[in-house]
């Protein structure tokens, strides 16, 4: 969970064959679920981004969704725009 003040946010994560899924929630509201799978390692991929017309304080939450063969999730960065 990360609280930020800004007009936008991006989530940067690696993708690879062993990566799981991640659910994104903003201010407690489910947005979507994204697969982090890739056939080979791909570092620093923008998985999600969202923008708003006004600056405000918001909270983004990432929830890991795993399977028996795909359990790994790593976060490289949150990028906030003002």
């Amino acid at each position: 969970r990360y609280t930020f003040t800004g007009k936008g946010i991006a989530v940067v994560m690696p993708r690879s064959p062993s990566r799981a899924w991640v659910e994104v929630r903003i201010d407690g509201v489910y947005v979507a679920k994204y697969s982090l799978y890739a056939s080979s390692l791909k570092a620093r991929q923008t998985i999600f981004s969202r923008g708003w017309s006004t600056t405000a304080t918001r909270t983004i939450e990432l929830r890991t969704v795993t399977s028996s063969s795909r359990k790994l999730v790593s976060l490289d960065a949150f990028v906030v725009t003002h």
Side-chain angles (χ1 to χ4, degrees):
R1 186 178 293 187
Y2 177 66
T3 300
F4 64 96
T5 300
K7 283 188 164 183
I9 184 117
V11 179
V12 181
M13 306 175 91
R15 292 181 146 171
S16 75
S18 62
R19 304 289 166 162
W21 292 264
V22 66
E23 279 185 4
V24 176
R25 295 174 185 266
I26 296 179
D27 295 332
V29 178
Y30 174 85
V31 175
K33 181 169 82 171
Y34 297 94
S35 173
L36 301 177
Y37 174 83
S39 59
S40 62
L41 177 62
K42 298 184 185 312
R44 295 179 300 279
Q45 302 291 297
T46 299
I47 303 302
F48 169 83
S49 65
R50 173 70 51 97
W52 297 270
S53 59
T54 59
T55 298
T57 299
R58 299 173 172 90
T59 300
I60 187 166
E61 181 179 355
L62 305 178
R63 293 186 182 182
T64 303
V65 181
T66 64
S67 69
S68 60
S69 62
R70 294 171 58 190
K71 297 182 179 188
L72 186 59
V73 171
S74 301
L75 175 67
D76 288 326
F78 289 116
V79 180
V80 177
T81 56
H82 299 276

Coordinates of all heavy atoms in Angstrom, one line a residue:
R1 N 0.9 -1.2 0.0 CA 0.0 0.0 0.0 C 0.9 1.2 0.0 O 1.9 1.3 0.8 CB -0.9 0.0 1.2 CG -1.9 1.0 1.3 CD -2.8 0.9 2.5 NE -3.5 -0.3 2.4 CZ -4.5 -0.7 3.2 NH1 -4.7 0.1 4.2 NH2 -5.2 -1.8 3.0
Y2 N 0.5 2.2 -0.9 CA 1.4 3.4 -1.0 C 0.4 4.6 -1.1 O -0.4 4.6 -2.0 CB 2.3 3.3 -2.2 CG 3.1 4.5 -2.5 CD1 4.1 4.9 -1.6 CD2 2.9 5.2 -3.7 CE1 4.9 6.0 -1.9 CE2 3.7 6.3 -3.9 CZ 4.7 6.7 -3.0 OH 5.5 7.8 -3.3
T3 N 0.6 5.6 -0.3 CA -0.2 6.8 -0.3 C 0.6 7.9 -1.0 O 1.8 8.1 -0.6 CB -0.7 7.2 1.1 OG1 -1.5 6.1 1.6 CG2 -1.5 8.5 1.0
F4 N 0.0 8.6 -1.9 CA 0.8 9.6 -2.7 C -0.2 10.8 -2.9 O -1.4 10.7 -2.9 CB 1.3 9.1 -4.0 CG 0.2 8.6 -5.0 CD1 -0.3 9.5 -6.0 CD2 -0.4 7.4 -4.8 CE1 -1.3 9.1 -6.8 CE2 -1.5 7.0 -5.7 CZ -1.9 7.9 -6.7
T5 N 0.4 11.9 -3.3 CA -0.3 13.1 -3.7 C 0.2 13.5 -5.1 O 1.4 13.7 -5.3 CB -0.1 14.3 -2.7 OG1 -0.5 13.9 -1.4 CG2 -0.9 15.5 -3.2
G6 N -0.7 13.5 -6.0 CA -0.4 13.8 -7.4 C -1.5 13.7 -8.4 O -2.7 13.4 -7.9
K7 N -1.2 13.8 -9.6 CA -2.2 13.7 -10.7 C -2.2 12.4 -11.4 O -3.1 12.0 -12.2 CB -2.0 14.8 -11.8 CG -2.5 16.2 -11.4 CD -2.3 17.1 -12.6 CE -3.1 18.3 -12.4 NZ -3.1 19.2 -13.5
G8 N -1.1 11.6 -11.1 CA -1.1 10.3 -11.8 C -0.1 9.4 -11.1 O 0.7 9.8 -10.2
I9 N -0.2 8.1 -11.4 CA 0.7 7.1 -10.8 C 0.9 6.0 -11.9 O 0.0 5.7 -12.7 CB 0.1 6.4 -9.5 CG1 1.1 5.5 -8.9 CG2 -1.2 5.7 -9.8 CD1 1.5 5.9 -7.6
A10 N 2.1 5.4 -11.9 CA 2.5 4.3 -12.7 C 3.1 3.2 -11.8 O 3.8 3.6 -10.8 CB 3.4 4.7 -13.8
V11 N 2.9 2.0 -12.1 CA 3.5 0.9 -11.3 C 4.5 0.2 -12.3 O 4.1 -0.3 -13.4 CB 2.4 -0.1 -10.9 CG1 3.1 -1.3 -10.1 CG2 1.4 0.6 -10.0
V12 N 5.7 0.1 -11.8 CA 6.8 -0.5 -12.6 C 7.3 -1.8 -11.9 O 7.7 -1.8 -10.8 CB 8.0 0.5 -12.8 CG1 9.1 -0.1 -13.6 CG2 7.5 1.8 -13.3
M13 N 7.2 -2.9 -12.7 CA 7.5 -4.2 -12.2 C 8.2 -5.1 -13.2 O 7.9 -4.9 -14.4 CB 6.2 -5.0 -11.7 CG 5.4 -4.2 -10.7 SD 3.8 -5.0 -10.3 CE 4.4 -5.9 -8.9
P14 N 9.0 -6.1 -12.8 CA 9.6 -7.0 -13.8 C 8.5 -8.0 -14.2 O 7.6 -8.4 -13.4 CB 10.7 -7.6 -13.1 CG 10.4 -7.5 -11.6 CD 9.6 -6.3 -11.5
R15 N 8.7 -8.6 -15.4 CA 7.9 -9.7 -15.9 C 8.9 -10.9 -16.2 O 10.0 -10.7 -16.6 CB 7.2 -9.4 -17.1 CG 6.1 -8.3 -16.9 CD 5.3 -8.0 -18.1 NE 3.9 -7.8 -17.7 CZ 3.0 -7.3 -18.5 NH1 3.3 -7.1 -19.8 NH2 1.8 -7.1 -18.1
S16 N 8.4 -12.1 -16.0 CA 9.2 -13.3 -16.3 C 8.3 -14.5 -16.2 O 7.1 -14.5 -15.8 CB 10.4 -13.5 -15.3 OG 9.9 -13.9 -14.0
P17 N 8.8 -15.7 -16.6 CA 8.0 -17.0 -16.6 C 7.5 -17.4 -15.2 O 6.5 -18.0 -15.2 CB 9.0 -18.0 -17.2 CG 10.0 -17.3 -18.0 CD 10.2 -16.0 -17.2
S18 N 8.2 -17.0 -14.2 CA 7.8 -17.4 -12.8 C 6.9 -16.4 -12.1 O 6.5 -16.6 -10.9 CB 9.0 -17.7 -12.0 OG 9.8 -16.6 -11.9
R19 N 6.6 -15.3 -12.8 CA 5.8 -14.2 -12.1 C 4.3 -14.5 -12.0 O 3.7 -15.1 -12.9 CB 6.0 -12.9 -12.8 CG 7.4 -12.4 -13.0 CD 8.0 -12.0 -11.7 NE 9.5 -11.9 -11.9 CZ 10.3 -11.2 -11.0 NH1 9.8 -10.6 -10.0 NH2 11.6 -11.2 -11.2
A20 N 3.7 -14.0 -11.0 CA 2.3 -14.3 -10.7 C 1.4 -13.2 -11.3 O 1.8 -12.6 -12.3 CB 2.1 -14.3 -9.2
W21 N 0.3 -12.9 -10.7 CA -0.6 -11.8 -11.1 C -0.6 -10.7 -9.9 O -0.2 -11.0 -8.8 CB -2.0 -12.3 -11.3 CG -2.2 -13.2 -12.4 CD1 -2.6 -12.9 -13.7 CD2 -2.0 -14.6 -12.4 NE1 -2.6 -14.0 -14.5 CE2 -2.3 -15.1 -13.7 CE3 -1.5 -15.5 -11.5 CZ2 -2.2 -16.4 -14.1 CZ3 -1.4 -16.9 -11.8 CH2 -1.7 -17.3 -13.1
V22 N -1.0 -9.6 -10.3 CA -1.2 -8.5 -9.3 C -2.5 -7.8 -9.5 O -2.9 -7.5 -10.6 CB 0.0 -7.5 -9.3 CG1 0.1 -6.7 -10.5 CG2 0.0 -6.6 -8.1
E23 N -3.2 -7.7 -8.4 CA -4.5 -6.9 -8.4 C -4.1 -5.4 -8.0 O -3.4 -5.2 -7.0 CB -5.5 -7.4 -7.4 CG -6.3 -8.6 -7.8 CD -7.3 -9.0 -6.8 OE1 -7.5 -8.3 -5.8 OE2 -8.0 -10.0 -7.1
V24 N -4.7 -4.5 -8.7 CA -4.5 -3.1 -8.4 C -5.8 -2.5 -7.8 O -6.9 -2.7 -8.3 CB -4.1 -2.3 -9.6 CG1 -4.0 -0.8 -9.3 CG2 -2.8 -2.8 -10.2
R25 N -5.7 -1.8 -6.7 CA -6.8 -1.1 -6.0 C -6.4 0.3 -5.8 O -5.2 0.6 -5.4 CB -7.2 -1.7 -4.7 CG -7.8 -3.1 -4.9 CD -8.1 -3.8 -3.6 NE -8.5 -5.2 -3.8 CZ -9.7 -5.6 -3.8 NH1 -10.7 -4.7 -3.7 NH2 -10.0 -6.8 -4.1
I26 N -7.3 1.3 -6.0 CA -7.0 2.7 -5.8 C -8.1 3.2 -4.8 O -9.3 3.0 -5.1 CB -7.0 3.5 -7.0 CG1 -5.8 3.0 -7.9 CG2 -6.9 5.0 -6.7 CD1 -5.6 3.8 -9.2
D27 N -7.7 3.7 -3.7 CA -8.6 4.2 -2.7 C -9.6 3.1 -2.3 O -10.8 3.3 -2.1 CB -9.3 5.5 -3.1 CG -8.4 6.6 -3.2 OD1 -7.3 6.6 -2.6 OD2 -8.6 7.5 -4.1
G28 N -9.1 1.8 -2.2 CA -9.9 0.7 -1.8 C -10.8 0.1 -2.9 O -11.5 -0.9 -2.6
V29 N -10.8 0.7 -4.1 CA -11.7 0.2 -5.2 C -10.9 -0.6 -6.1 O -9.8 -0.2 -6.6 CB -12.3 1.4 -5.9 CG1 -13.2 0.9 -7.1 CG2 -13.2 2.2 -4.9
Y30 N -11.3 -1.9 -6.4 CA -10.7 -2.8 -7.4 C -10.6 -2.1 -8.7 O -11.6 -1.6 -9.2 CB -11.4 -4.1 -7.4 CG -10.9 -5.0 -8.5 CD1 -9.9 -5.9 -8.2 CD2 -11.5 -5.1 -9.7 CE1 -9.4 -6.8 -9.2 CE2 -11.1 -6.0 -10.7 CZ -10.0 -6.8 -10.4 OH -9.6 -7.7 -11.4
V31 N -9.4 -2.1 -9.4 CA -9.3 -1.6 -10.7 C -9.2 -2.7 -11.7 O -9.9 -2.8 -12.7 CB -8.0 -0.7 -10.8 CG1 -7.8 -0.2 -12.2 CG2 -8.2 0.5 -9.8
A32 N -8.2 -3.6 -11.5 CA -8.0 -4.7 -12.5 C -7.0 -5.7 -11.9 O -6.2 -5.4 -11.0 CB -7.6 -4.2 -13.8
K33 N -6.8 -6.8 -12.6 CA -5.8 -7.8 -12.3 C -4.9 -7.9 -13.5 O -5.4 -8.0 -14.7 CB -6.4 -9.2 -12.0 CG -5.4 -10.2 -11.6 CD -6.0 -11.5 -11.0 CE -6.6 -12.4 -12.1 NZ -7.0 -13.7 -11.6
Y34 N -3.6 -7.9 -13.3 CA -2.6 -7.9 -14.4 C -1.7 -9.1 -14.2 O -1.2 -9.4 -13.1 CB -1.8 -6.6 -14.4 CG -2.6 -5.4 -14.7 CD1 -3.1 -4.7 -13.6 CD2 -2.9 -5.0 -15.9 CE1 -3.9 -3.6 -13.8 CE2 -3.7 -3.9 -16.2 CZ -4.2 -3.2 -15.1 OH -5.0 -2.1 -15.3
S35 N -1.4 -9.8 -15.3 CA -0.4 -10.9 -15.3 C 1.0 -10.3 -15.5 O 1.2 -9.4 -16.3 CB -0.7 -11.8 -16.5 OG 0.3 -12.8 -16.6
L36 N 1.9 -10.9 -14.7 CA 3.3 -10.5 -14.8 C 4.1 -11.5 -15.5 O 5.3 -11.5 -15.5 CB 3.8 -10.3 -13.3 CG 3.1 -9.3 -12.5 CD1 3.7 -9.2 -11.1 CD2 3.1 -7.9 -13.2
Y37 N 3.4 -12.4 -16.2 CA 4.1 -13.5 -17.0 C 4.7 -12.9 -18.2 O 4.1 -12.0 -18.9 CB 3.1 -14.6 -17.4 CG 3.7 -15.6 -18.3 CD1 4.5 -16.6 -17.8 CD2 3.6 -15.4 -19.7 CE1 5.1 -17.5 -18.7 CE2 4.2 -16.3 -20.6 CZ 5.0 -17.3 -20.1 OH 5.6 -18.2 -20.9
A38 N 5.9 -13.4 -18.6 CA 6.5 -13.1 -19.9 C 7.4 -14.3 -20.2 O 7.9 -15.0 -19.3 CB 7.4 -11.8 -19.8
S39 N 7.6 -14.6 -21.4 CA 8.4 -15.8 -21.8 C 9.9 -15.7 -21.4 O 10.6 -16.7 -21.3 CB 8.3 -16.1 -23.3 OG 8.7 -15.0 -24.0
S40 N 10.4 -14.5 -21.2 CA 11.7 -14.3 -20.7 C 11.7 -13.0 -19.8 O 10.7 -12.3 -19.8 CB 12.7 -14.0 -21.8 OG 12.4 -12.9 -22.6
L41 N 12.8 -12.9 -19.0 CA 12.8 -11.7 -18.1 C 12.8 -10.4 -18.8 O 13.5 -10.2 -19.8 CB 14.1 -11.8 -17.2 CG 14.3 -10.6 -16.3 CD1 13.2 -10.6 -15.2 CD2 15.7 -10.8 -15.6
K42 N 11.9 -9.5 -18.4 CA 11.7 -8.2 -18.9 C 11.7 -7.3 -17.7 O 10.7 -7.2 -17.0 CB 10.5 -8.0 -19.7 CG 10.5 -9.0 -21.0 CD 9.3 -8.7 -21.8 CE 9.1 -9.7 -23.0 NZ 10.3 -9.9 -23.8
A43 N 12.8 -6.6 -17.5 CA 13.0 -5.7 -16.3 C 12.2 -4.4 -16.5 O 12.0 -3.9 -17.6 CB 14.4 -5.4 -16.0
R44 N 11.8 -3.8 -15.4 CA 11.3 -2.4 -15.4 C 10.2 -2.2 -16.4 O 10.2 -1.2 -17.2 CB 12.4 -1.4 -15.5 CG 13.4 -1.4 -14.3 CD 14.5 -0.5 -14.5 NE 15.4 -0.7 -15.6 CZ 16.3 -1.6 -15.7 NH1 16.6 -2.4 -14.7 NH2 17.1 -1.7 -16.8
Q45 N 9.1 -2.9 -16.3 CA 8.0 -2.8 -17.2 C 6.8 -2.0 -16.5 O 6.5 -2.3 -15.4 CB 7.4 -4.2 -17.6 CG 8.4 -5.1 -18.3 CD 8.8 -4.5 -19.7 OE1 8.0 -4.5 -20.5 NE2 10.1 -4.2 -19.8
T46 N 6.3 -1.1 -17.3 CA 5.1 -0.3 -16.7 C 3.9 -1.3 -16.8 O 3.4 -1.6 -17.9 CB 4.8 1.0 -17.4 OG1 6.0 1.8 -17.3 CG2 3.6 1.7 -16.9
I47 N 3.4 -1.7 -15.7 CA 2.3 -2.7 -15.6 C 1.0 -1.9 -15.6 O 0.0 -2.4 -16.2 CB 2.4 -3.5 -14.4 CG1 3.8 -4.3 -14.3 CG2 1.3 -4.5 -14.2 CD1 4.0 -5.1 -15.5
F48 N 0.9 -0.8 -15.0 CA -0.3 0.0 -14.8 C 0.0 1.4 -14.7 O 1.0 1.8 -14.1 CB -1.0 -0.5 -13.5 CG -2.1 0.4 -13.0 CD1 -3.4 0.2 -13.5 CD2 -1.9 1.4 -12.1 CE1 -4.5 1.0 -13.1 CE2 -3.0 2.2 -11.7 CZ -4.3 1.9 -12.2
S49 N -0.9 2.3 -15.2 CA -0.8 3.7 -15.0 C -2.2 4.3 -15.0 O -3.1 3.8 -15.7 CB 0.1 4.4 -16.1 OG -0.5 4.3 -17.4
R50 N -2.4 5.4 -14.3 CA -3.7 6.0 -14.2 C -3.4 7.5 -14.0 O -2.5 7.9 -13.2 CB -4.4 5.4 -13.0 CG -5.7 6.1 -12.6 CD -6.9 5.9 -13.5 NE -7.2 4.6 -14.0 CZ -8.1 3.7 -13.4 NH1 -8.8 4.1 -12.4 NH2 -8.3 2.5 -14.0
G51 N -4.2 8.3 -14.6 CA -4.1 9.8 -14.4 C -5.4 10.4 -14.1 O -6.5 9.9 -14.4
W52 N -5.4 11.5 -13.4 CA -6.6 12.3 -13.1 C -6.4 13.8 -13.4 O -5.3 14.2 -13.6 CB -6.8 12.2 -11.5 CG -7.1 10.8 -11.1 CD1 -8.3 10.2 -11.0 CD2 -6.1 9.9 -10.6 NE1 -8.2 8.9 -10.5 CE2 -6.8 8.7 -10.2 CE3 -4.8 9.9 -10.5 CZ2 -6.2 7.6 -9.7 CZ3 -4.1 8.7 -10.0 CH2 -4.8 7.6 -9.6
S53 N -7.5 14.5 -13.5 CA -7.4 15.9 -13.9 C -7.0 16.8 -12.8 O -6.5 17.9 -13.0 CB -8.7 16.4 -14.5 OG -9.7 16.2 -13.6
T54 N -7.1 16.3 -11.6 CA -6.7 17.2 -10.4 C -5.8 16.5 -9.5 O -5.7 15.2 -9.4 CB -8.0 17.5 -9.6 OG1 -8.6 16.3 -9.1 CG2 -9.0 18.3 -10.4
T55 N -5.0 17.2 -8.8 CA -4.1 16.7 -7.8 C -4.9 16.4 -6.5 O -5.7 17.1 -6.1 CB -3.0 17.7 -7.4 OG1 -2.2 18.0 -8.6 CG2 -2.0 17.2 -6.4
A56 N -4.6 15.2 -6.0 CA -5.2 14.8 -4.7 C -4.4 13.7 -4.1 O -3.5 13.1 -4.7 CB -6.6 14.2 -5.0
T57 N -4.7 13.4 -2.8 CA -4.0 12.4 -2.1 C -4.8 11.1 -2.3 O -6.0 11.1 -2.1 CB -3.9 12.7 -0.6 OG1 -3.1 13.9 -0.4 CG2 -3.2 11.6 0.2
R58 N -4.1 10.0 -2.7 CA -4.7 8.8 -3.1 C -3.9 7.6 -2.5 O -2.7 7.8 -2.2 CB -4.9 8.6 -4.6 CG -5.8 9.7 -5.2 CD -5.7 9.6 -6.7 NE -6.7 10.5 -7.3 CZ -6.5 11.7 -7.7 NH1 -5.3 12.2 -7.5 NH2 -7.4 12.5 -8.2
T59 N -4.5 6.5 -2.4 CA -3.7 5.3 -2.0 C -3.9 4.2 -3.0 O -5.0 3.9 -3.5 CB -4.3 4.8 -0.6 OG1 -4.1 5.8 0.4 CG2 -3.5 3.5 -0.2
I60 N -2.7 3.6 -3.4 CA -2.7 2.5 -4.4 C -2.3 1.3 -3.6 O -1.4 1.3 -2.7 CB -1.8 2.7 -5.6 CG1 -1.9 1.6 -6.6 CG2 -0.3 2.9 -5.1 CD1 -1.3 1.9 -7.9
E61 N -3.0 0.2 -3.8 CA -2.7 -1.1 -3.2 C -2.5 -2.2 -4.2 O -3.3 -2.3 -5.1 CB -3.8 -1.5 -2.2 CG -3.6 -2.7 -1.5 CD -4.7 -3.1 -0.5 OE1 -5.7 -2.3 -0.4 OE2 -4.7 -4.2 0.1
L62 N -1.4 -3.0 -4.0 CA -1.1 -4.1 -4.9 C -1.3 -5.4 -4.1 O -0.8 -5.5 -3.0 CB 0.3 -4.0 -5.5 CG 0.7 -2.7 -6.2 CD1 2.1 -2.8 -6.6 CD2 -0.2 -2.5 -7.4
R63 N -2.1 -6.3 -4.7 CA -2.4 -7.6 -4.0 C -1.9 -8.7 -4.9 O -2.3 -8.7 -6.1 CB -3.9 -7.8 -3.7 CG -4.4 -6.8 -2.7 CD -5.8 -7.1 -2.3 NE -6.3 -6.2 -1.3 CZ -7.6 -6.3 -0.8 NH1 -8.4 -7.2 -1.2 NH2 -8.0 -5.4 0.0
T64 N -1.1 -9.5 -4.4 CA -0.5 -10.7 -5.1 C -1.5 -11.8 -5.3 O -2.2 -12.1 -4.3 CB 0.8 -11.2 -4.4 OG1 1.7 -10.1 -4.3 CG2 1.4 -12.3 -5.2
V65 N -1.6 -12.3 -6.5 CA -2.5 -13.5 -6.8 C -1.6 -14.5 -7.4 O -1.0 -14.3 -8.4 CB -3.6 -13.1 -7.8 CG1 -4.5 -14.3 -8.1 CG2 -4.4 -11.9 -7.3
T66 N -1.4 -15.7 -6.6 CA -0.4 -16.7 -7.1 C -1.1 -17.9 -7.5 O -2.3 -18.1 -7.3 CB 0.5 -17.0 -5.9 OG1 -0.2 -17.6 -4.8 CG2 1.3 -15.8 -5.4
S67 N -0.3 -18.8 -8.2 CA -0.7 -20.2 -8.5 C 0.4 -21.1 -8.1 O 1.4 -20.6 -7.6 CB -1.0 -20.3 -10.0 OG 0.2 -20.2 -10.7
S68 N 0.2 -22.4 -8.3 CA 1.3 -23.3 -7.8 C 2.6 -23.1 -8.6 O 3.7 -23.4 -8.0 CB 0.8 -24.8 -8.0 OG 0.5 -25.0 -9.4
S69 N 2.5 -22.7 -9.8 CA 3.8 -22.5 -10.6 C 4.2 -21.1 -10.7 O 5.3 -20.8 -11.2 CB 3.6 -23.1 -12.0 OG 2.6 -22.4 -12.7
R70 N 3.4 -20.1 -10.4 CA 3.7 -18.7 -10.6 C 3.5 -18.0 -9.2 O 2.4 -17.6 -8.9 CB 2.9 -18.1 -11.7 CG 3.3 -18.7 -13.0 CD 2.3 -18.3 -14.2 NE 2.3 -16.9 -14.3 CZ 1.4 -16.3 -15.1 NH1 0.5 -17.1 -15.8 NH2 1.3 -15.0 -15.3
K71 N 4.5 -17.8 -8.5 CA 4.4 -17.2 -7.1 C 5.2 -15.9 -6.9 O 5.0 -15.3 -5.8 CB 4.9 -18.3 -6.1 CG 4.1 -19.5 -6.1 CD 4.6 -20.5 -5.1 CE 3.7 -21.7 -5.1 NZ 3.9 -22.7 -4.1
L72 N 6.0 -15.5 -7.8 CA 6.9 -14.4 -7.6 C 6.3 -13.1 -8.1 O 5.8 -13.0 -9.1 CB 8.2 -14.7 -8.3 CG 9.3 -13.7 -8.1 CD1 9.7 -13.6 -6.6 CD2 10.5 -14.1 -8.9
V73 N 6.4 -12.0 -7.2 CA 6.0 -10.7 -7.5 C 7.1 -9.7 -6.9 O 7.5 -9.9 -5.8 CB 4.6 -10.3 -7.0 CG1 4.4 -8.8 -7.1 CG2 3.5 -11.1 -7.7
S74 N 7.6 -8.8 -7.7 CA 8.6 -7.8 -7.3 C 8.1 -6.5 -7.8 O 7.6 -6.3 -8.9 CB 10.0 -8.1 -7.8 OG 10.4 -9.4 -7.5
L75 N 8.4 -5.4 -7.0 CA 8.1 -4.1 -7.4 C 9.4 -3.3 -7.6 O 10.3 -3.3 -6.8 CB 7.3 -3.4 -6.3 CG 7.0 -1.9 -6.4 CD1 6.0 -1.7 -7.6 CD2 6.4 -1.4 -5.1
D76 N 9.5 -2.7 -8.8 CA 10.6 -1.8 -9.1 C 10.4 -0.4 -8.6 O 11.3 0.2 -7.9 CB 11.0 -1.8 -10.5 CG 11.6 -3.1 -11.0 OD1 12.3 -3.7 -10.2 OD2 11.3 -3.5 -12.2
A77 N 9.2 0.2 -8.9 CA 9.0 1.6 -8.5 C 7.5 2.0 -8.7 O 6.8 1.3 -9.5 CB 9.8 2.5 -9.4
F78 N 7.1 3.0 -7.9 CA 5.9 3.8 -8.2 C 6.4 5.1 -8.8 O 7.3 5.7 -8.2 CB 5.1 4.1 -6.9 CG 4.4 2.9 -6.3 CD1 4.8 2.4 -5.0 CD2 3.4 2.2 -6.9 CE1 4.2 1.4 -4.4 CE2 2.8 1.2 -6.4 CZ 3.1 0.7 -5.1
V79 N 5.8 5.5 -9.8 CA 6.2 6.8 -10.4 C 4.9 7.7 -10.3 O 3.9 7.4 -10.9 CB 6.5 6.6 -11.9 CG1 6.9 8.0 -12.5 CG2 7.7 5.6 -12.1
V80 N 5.1 8.8 -9.6 CA 4.0 9.8 -9.3 C 4.2 11.0 -10.2 O 5.3 11.5 -10.3 CB 3.9 10.1 -7.8 CG1 2.9 11.2 -7.6 CG2 3.7 8.9 -7.0
T81 N 3.2 11.4 -10.9 CA 3.2 12.7 -11.7 C 2.4 13.7 -10.9 O 1.5 13.5 -10.2 CB 2.7 12.5 -13.1 OG1 1.3 12.0 -13.0 CG2 3.5 11.5 -13.9
H82 N 2.9 15.0 -11.1 CA 2.3 16.1 -10.3 C 1.7 17.1 -11.3 O 2.0 17.2 -12.4 CB 3.3 16.8 -9.5 CG 3.9 15.9 -8.4 ND1 3.3 15.7 -7.2 CD2 5.0 15.1 -8.4 CE1 4.0 14.8 -6.5 NE2 5.0 14.5 -7.2

